Amino acid sequence: GAGVSQSPSNKVTEKGKDVELRCDPISGHTALYWYRQSLGQGLEFLIYFQGNSAPDKSGLPSDRFSAERTGGSVSTLTIQRTQQEDSAVYLCASSEPGLHQYFGPGTRLTVL
Amino acid sequence: TQLLEQSPQFLSIQEGENLTVYCNSSSVFSSLQWYRQEPGEGPVLLVTVVTGGEVKKLKRLTFQFGDARKDSSLHITAAQPGDTGLYLCAGENSGYALNFGKGTSLLVTP
């Protein structure tokens, strides 16, 4: 079946602009995660959605970052007023509760 | 945040050689996972180890979880060019969020 998909695959933006990154999880997976992978760094947890529960936003680095998950499926990660340090690969993963996470290919964000 | 230290950071070897990658932490984890990531793709799960002292084998790859569940190792026997990639370890405690190491970048040349 189809895996996790993310769009766009690449995004180049200017400092100060807002960006939206999209994640389509595997059908039927109720858990959805966002991670950030910066050059030379490991994957950094950003946010976790599970069903209709309140999301765990503890990993969001600043209030410029927000995420939504509509209808328990598609998720959008929004970064407002982008900064150069936001440049990274943003990875989305989905899973059934308690089972292993399947990762999408990521969105490479470059802030000029 | 529970830190996972991976070593070495980079490894370049020739086809047929053996290698070991280490993943260490001062924290105890409920489980530890190993992933491989290729350029332009997301990480792909190789194995999950749960029990202290556990050893799992996946063809030429051998994974071990330390007795105290704080560290793990990945040993590859007779490496092949297809093993090239970024190897990541990730510890889990909360039931969902994973704590990742920075990874070991492996290059196997023919």
Side-chain angles (χ1 to χ4, degrees):
Chain A
V4 178
S5 61
Q6 293 186 244
S7 61
S9 55
N10 283 284
K11 175 72 176 178
V12 180
T13 189
E14 293 180 347
K15 177 182 174 181
K17 296 286 180 71
D18 298 351
V19 295
E20 286 189 351
L21 313 179
R22 177 187 169 106
C23 172
D24 283 88
I26 293 173
S27 178
H29 281 187
T30 58
L32 187 146
Y33 318 73
W34 283 98
Y35 292 86
R36 177 169 71 175
Q37 186 173 29
S38 305
L39 191 63
Q41 301 294 319
L43 276 72
E44 172 191 11
F45 166 76
L46 297 178
I47 189 167
Y48 164 71
F49 295 91
Q50 172 53 51
N52 295 320
S53 302
D56 177 354
K57 304 179 181 180
S58 61
L60 295 178
S62 78
D63 58 8
R64 295 186 295 104
F65 288 72
S66 62
E68 290 185 340
R69 189 178 185 191
T70 54
S73 181
V74 171
S75 177
T76 302
L77 177 69
T78 301
I79 308 174
Q80 295 179 310
R81 304 181 303 281
T82 52
Q83 304 294 313
Q84 289 183 333
E85 60 262 29
D86 298 334
S87 295
V89 176
Y90 289 83
L91 290 158
C92 174
S94 71
S95 74
E96 296 180 49
L99 298 185
H100 91 262
Q101 300 174 28
Y102 292 83
F103 284 82
T107 293
R108 180 174 296 279
L109 174 66
T110 303
V111 182
L112 301 178
Chain B
T1 303
Q2 300 159 304
L3 295 177
L4 280 164
E5 301 283 343
Q6 284 190 244
S7 62
Q9 188 176 358
F10 300 99
L11 194 53
S12 180
I13 62 172
Q14 290 192 317
E15 183 176 2
E17 293 184 18
N18 302 331
L19 67 116
T20 301
V21 175
Y22 299 93
C23 176
N24 295 297
S25 175
S26 59
S27 302
V28 176
F29 290 101
S30 301
S31 69
L32 197 138
Q33 302 175 10
W34 283 93
Y35 291 81
R36 187 172 81 190
Q37 185 178 21
E38 299 190 28
E41 299 181 8
V44 175
L45 181 69
L46 296 173
V47 77
T48 300
V49 285
V50 177
T51 306
E54 182 176 4
V55 177
K56 281 192 174 179
K57 292 192 175 183
L58 184 66
K59 297 184 181 179
R60 295 176 293 99
L61 278 61
T62 301
F63 304 86
Q64 186 164 8
F65 202 12
D67 291 341
R69 290 186 289 126
K70 293 183 180 181
D71 53 81
S72 182
S73 64
L74 158 59
H75 182 79
I76 301 179
T77 303
Q80 298 177 0
D83 296 327
T84 292
L86 179 67
Y87 289 81
L88 295 158
C89 66
E92 181 273 313
N93 263 335
S94 64
Y96 50 91
L98 295 172
N99 291 293
F100 280 87
K102 293 184 180 181
T104 293
S105 181
L106 172 65
L107 174 64
V108 183
T109 54

